[in-house]
Amino acid sequence: MVRKTKQLRQLLNSQYLEFLMEAHNGLSAKIVEEAGFKGIWASGLSISSAMGVRDNNEASWTQVLEVLEFMCDATSIPILLDGDTGYGNFNNVRRLVKKLEQRGIAGVCIEDKVFPKTNSFINGATQPLADIGEFCGKIKAAKDAQSDEDFVVIARIEAFIAGWGLPEALKRAEAYHQAGADGIIIHSSLRVSDEILAFKQEWGDRCPVVIIPTKYYTTPTQVFRDYQFSIVIWANQICRAAITAMQQAAKTILTEESLLNIEEEIIPVSEVFRLQGALELQEAEKRYLPQNKKDITALLLAASRGVEFGELTADKPKCMLELKGEPLLSQVVNHYRTIGIKDITVVRGYKKEAINLPNLNYVDNDNYDCTGELMSLYLGLQGISLEKQDLIIGYGDVLFKKYILQLLLDTEQDFAIVVDADAKASLNSVRPDYVNCSLPNSQKAFYTDVYLQKIDNQLLLPQICGIWTGLLKVSSNLQDVFRHTLKGLLVEDDVQQQGRMPTLINELINLGYAVQVIYITGNWLDVDEIQDIIRAGGF
């Protein structure tokens, strides 16, 4: 693998215009690399902002080093440090370079202002510049201190920021170049790129020139190519974008006093785990630790046509109807995957060839037109191995907010169902499966385990505690009981060949098994008719 210092030097000397993106911690650095950038700008402004301090060297250089170490460990691309003024005199710069090399940092940029620095965009015209001779000494000290010949030292010129004009900028650039700087950053606070372009036209190609177009961002990038700049640094946009998102999220949660809406708009926790490298740790645990962990598998019933949709399901089952540009079943599957359930089996029937989503296991009920859910469930169970696995059973045409699936996963009970306690829930289904429970939904139910008494669409109103949503969890402990009970129903009564899931759940209760109830209020949808496709937009 090419050393990071050599990677950065190649970018600096590339015949093409290259780009560095700002990052300010290990997480943002990893995101920058995954986005496709070839290098990272460790921004002093962004790092200090992440610490909650000002960009005035209030964060010590050793604190910055600690951040850099995490950034370097998280990535394989080079990092160029925004080293402010070098954190002191030539002696501080020498020590800084040695410590940067020890931590795998590929280069440092130092600017010709006095220590402690002030951000260039805060009263820049009043900021004093460093003496040219003194700053050249810093550059020489940095180059003498490096042990890796490819370590990059870039001198940042603040003459335009301070209002000293083009002649001073060129004078300083030549002095820094002669002192050994590997490249020059020419900086400007104007909204247009006139100063930068004038400098480059006069400077030519004596050494690479790097720019930071934070203020003059409306200049087309092709102009920078035409003038043969070396590198463009996007200096603080990741940090600012993160602040925007955090402010919006905090305001939403404070206003709504709930996470229901925002959880659907932000990345799942599983994505945070992925960025942290949780998968590598899981693989390491398999190698180094004893294994007794349970896995989760899902079984989705999707054999029916959906005759209520008429011609829309003439050539495909309703689970493959388009919803927001992708099949309904794809939406359902994605919700399972976002909470970590990857082993998913789908029972197909009507127009089975139309159900062809990738990375799913398929079992076919070829007699779908004369059998029911119980037979599809039976066939599906034959197609999967459930040893040491908990099982989630659902439908390929029923949508849920992902938190509902997580609630089901978190229960320790052997059997559990999700019930919508909203009295209006019956409008959510053509054939509502009403439930009677040991306790109706209430504040007491929130702190007390609630158990199912019966599922029946003929329940009287006083008995109804809600409607079953179609979700059932079966723990690995009672997989054999579950299969045996299902098989008994199908063998003993031919009528049950066309039976539905509530029959099996009621039978488990009759046999003495407890079925826990998890109450919700809304946030799910059984897609049974055309109007439901419109309602499904919220999922």
Side-chain angles (χ1 to χ4, degrees):
M1 183 176 179
V2 179
R3 290 177 292 111
K4 291 183 179 181
T5 50
K6 192 170 186 64
Q7 291 180 51
L8 181 57
R9 184 166 290 277
Q10 288 173 345
L11 291 175
L12 187 64
N13 296 320
S14 172
Q15 61 180 315
Y16 304 105
L17 182 65
E18 304 290 354
F19 301 90
L20 300 185
M21 171 56 81
E22 167 264 320
H24 47 277
N25 54 27
L27 180 63
S28 60
K30 190 173 186 68
I31 289 171
V32 167
E33 179 175 16
E34 288 191 350
F37 285 95
K38 299 177 184 177
I40 294 168
W41 170 252
S43 163
L45 169 63
S46 298
I47 291 174
S48 60
S49 296
M51 293 181 179
V53 298
R54 290 175 285 259
D55 187 22
N56 292 75
N57 294 128
E58 292 184 0
S60 70
W61 70 275
T62 55
Q63 290 173 318
V64 172
L65 278 178
E66 186 171 344
V67 174
L68 290 171
E69 186 169 358
F70 283 104
M71 292 173 63
C72 189
D73 288 346
T75 55
S76 61
I77 56 177
I79 298 173
L80 173 63
L81 170 64
D82 174 9
D84 294 339
T85 63
Y87 306 105
N89 64 12
F90 77 92
N91 193 44
N92 300 90
V93 172
R94 289 194 301 180
R95 185 161 176 78
L96 173 65
V97 169
K98 289 181 181 295
K99 293 303 177 182
L100 291 177
E101 286 190 317
Q102 289 174 7
R103 285 160 173 78
I105 304 305
V108 64
C109 163
I110 55 176
E111 60 191 75
D112 58 355
K113 292 194 294 194
V114 297
F115 178 85
K117 62 81 62 84
T118 300
N119 188 279
S120 299
F121 298 145
I122 300 177
N123 298 323
T126 66
Q127 296 180 22
L129 298 186
D131 175 78
I132 293 178
E134 186 266 343
F135 192 74
C136 286
K138 287 186 181 181
I139 295 172
K140 292 175 182 177
K143 295 305 293 181
D144 288 344
Q146 71 185 71
S147 59
D148 185 332
E149 63 180 2
D150 287 316
F151 184 88
V152 168
V153 177
I154 294 180
R156 173 166 148 179
I157 298 171
E158 297 284 295
F160 287 145
I161 297 292
W164 289 26
L166 178 60
E168 183 69 18
L170 289 167
K171 176 183 175 181
R172 287 174 175 267
E174 181 59 29
Y176 304 159
H177 174 49
Q178 294 300 324
D182 298 297
I184 298 293
I185 287 182
I186 184 67
H187 204 23
S188 174
S189 60
L190 295 185
R191 294 287 181 180
V192 293
S193 56
D194 296 2
E195 290 180 330
I196 301 298
L197 301 181
F199 174 88
K200 186 61 172 68
Q201 189 168 15
E202 292 291 331
W203 180 256
D205 58 359
R206 280 177 268 182
C207 77
V209 179
V210 180
I211 56 175
I212 308 175
T214 302
K215 290 291 188 177
Y216 50 95
Y217 60 87
T218 59
T219 302
T221 303
Q222 185 57 44
V223 172
F224 304 145
R225 288 192 173 93
D226 293 341
Y227 274 75
Q228 297 183 326
F229 288 102
S230 172
I231 293 175
V232 170
I233 295 175
W234 311 120
N236 48 52
Q237 285 69 31
I238 294 291
C239 177
R240 289 159 58 197
I243 291 172
T244 298
M246 288 189 288
Q247 288 175 332
Q248 292 173 348
K251 183 176 180 180
T252 297
I253 294 171
L254 177 66
T255 302
E256 299 184 0
E257 297 183 342
S258 171
L259 300 178
L260 280 179
N261 288 326
I262 198 153
E263 276 292 337
E264 300 301 319
E265 302 300 325
I266 60 179
I267 64 165
V269 177
S270 60
E271 174 64 4
V272 179
F273 294 155
R274 185 193 69 79
L275 289 167
Q276 291 174 316
L279 182 60
E280 188 280 332
L281 179 59
Q282 291 174 1
E283 293 300 318
E285 288 174 344
K286 291 178 182 178
R287 181 172 182 178
Y288 301 119
L289 295 176
Q291 296 300 304
N292 57 3
K293 183 180 177 181
K294 290 182 179 180
D295 293 320
I296 306 291
T297 190
L299 179 59
L300 300 179
L301 306 182
S304 63
R305 169 181 174 174
V307 293
E308 298 86 358
F309 290 89
E311 290 299 313
L312 291 177
T313 55
D315 59 352
K316 57 187 173 185
K318 67 175 177 177
C319 70
M320 294 302 288
L321 292 175
E322 290 289 313
L323 175 62
K324 293 192 291 187
E326 63 178 324
L328 173 60
L329 179 60
S330 179
Q331 299 265 342
V332 174
V333 167
N334 287 340
H335 279 77
Y336 281 85
R337 287 174 173 161
T338 57
I339 64 167
I341 300 178
K342 308 300 182 183
D343 184 6
I344 303 173
T345 297
V346 176
V347 181
R348 304 181 295 188
Y350 174 75
K351 299 292 183 181
K352 63 182 182 181
E353 67 281 353
I355 304 179
N356 55 4
L357 300 178
N359 302 317
L360 295 174
N361 307 311
Y362 291 107
V363 173
D364 297 333
N365 180 2
D366 292 324
N367 295 319
Y368 66 89
D369 56 342
C370 59
T371 60
E373 296 171 357
L374 292 184
M375 180 56 68
S376 291
L377 175 63
Y378 178 80
L379 294 172
L381 291 173
Q382 305 312 302
I384 57 179
S385 172
L386 293 174
E387 184 179 0
K388 296 183 179 180
Q389 289 182 313
D390 287 351
L391 172 66
I392 302 293
I393 300 170
Y395 293 86
D397 55 1
V398 181
L399 288 166
F400 296 87
K401 297 287 188 181
K402 58 189 177 185
Y403 83 91
I404 296 175
L405 292 170
Q406 191 63 57
L407 288 175
L408 197 58
L409 286 185
D410 291 343
T411 179
E412 297 295 327
Q413 299 286 341
D414 289 320
F415 296 114
I417 65 171
V418 177
V419 170
D420 189 346
D422 191 342
K424 299 178 181 178
S426 60
L427 300 176
N428 208 17
S429 177
V430 172
R431 181 171 47 185
D433 293 315
Y434 294 120
V435 299
N436 177 249
C437 306
S438 60
L439 190 69
N441 189 36
S442 62
Q443 186 173 355
K444 182 179 180 181
F446 187 80
Y447 301 101
T448 306
D449 287 340
V450 179
Y451 295 97
L452 180 68
Q453 305 293 320
K454 187 177 184 180
I455 300 182
D456 191 337
N457 57 19
Q458 300 299 317
L459 285 176
L460 300 177
L461 186 60
Q463 299 174 299
I464 296 175
C465 296
I467 181 175
W468 180 48
T469 62
L471 280 178
L472 168 66
K473 175 187 175 182
V474 183
S475 78
S476 60
N477 299 327
L478 294 182
Q479 294 291 345
D480 290 341
V481 168
F482 185 71
R483 291 184 184 228
H484 180 75
T485 304
L486 172 60
K487 184 176 180 180
L489 285 174
L490 294 173
V491 171
E492 294 173 7
D493 189 346
D494 290 341
V495 174
Q496 296 303 342
Q497 297 280 324
Q498 297 181 345
R500 298 181 61 245
M501 284 283 294
T503 302
L504 173 59
I505 297 173
N506 285 332
E507 182 65 14
L508 291 170
I509 295 172
N510 293 337
L511 292 173
Y513 295 100
V515 178
Q516 185 187 21
V517 169
I518 299 172
Y519 278 124
I520 62 171
T521 53
N523 294 303
W524 71 288
L525 182 66
D526 184 358
V527 181
D528 275 328
E529 52 190 1
I530 293 177
Q531 290 88 337
D532 292 334
I533 296 292
I534 300 173
R535 298 189 190 105
F539 290 82

